Amino acid sequence: MDIYVSNLSPFITNEDLKNHFSKYGTVTSANIIMDKFTNRSRGFGFVTIPDDTEAEKAIKELDGSLIDGKTISANKAKPREDKPARSSYNNRW
């Protein structure tokens, strides 16, 4: 299961996030989303724990917990919505 984690400190690394969640199960990936222009953390990321029971426990235990002095939010990740392609030409008229 993919877990959406928000309100992360800009100083948290992928490894920090993985270590924090690995107390609750096997973490196969932990990825903090970075701004493509500034290369700084956008303050959220995703953690993957394949076992749904372990993932649910991690969400329950870590939602509202402190990491690096910030209260994080942890929820089951929702699928990304398909957005229609933006065309600046069509939007002008």
Side-chain angles (χ1 to χ4, degrees):
M1 173 188 299
D2 289 329
I3 302 169
Y4 171 74
V5 186
S6 61
N7 201 35
L8 294 170
S9 162
F11 306 108
I12 293 292
T13 66
N14 291 339
E15 193 64 30
D16 293 334
L17 193 59
K18 181 177 182 176
N19 289 338
H20 203 73
F21 276 80
S22 65
K23 299 169 190 167
Y24 299 94
T26 303
V27 175
T28 56
S29 70
N31 188 28
I32 294 174
I33 306 304
M34 306 298 277
D35 183 280
K36 63 183 174 184
F37 299 109
T38 65
N39 204 32
R40 292 184 180 162
S41 169
R42 293 187 56 197
F44 70 94
F46 297 91
V47 175
T48 302
I49 299 177
D51 184 289
D52 286 351
T53 304
E54 292 175 348
E56 291 288 344
K57 184 174 181 180
I59 290 169
K60 182 179 176 187
E61 297 288 327
L62 294 175
D63 185 41
S65 69
L66 285 175
I67 300 180
D68 198 34
K70 293 195 77 165
T71 303
I72 66 161
S73 180
N75 301 290
K76 182 177 178 181
K78 297 177 182 165
R80 194 171 192 177
E81 293 180 14
D82 288 333
K83 296 180 182 177
R86 289 178 28 162
S87 169
S88 59
Y89 178 79
N90 289 338
N91 292 336
R92 289 184 189 172
W93 311 105

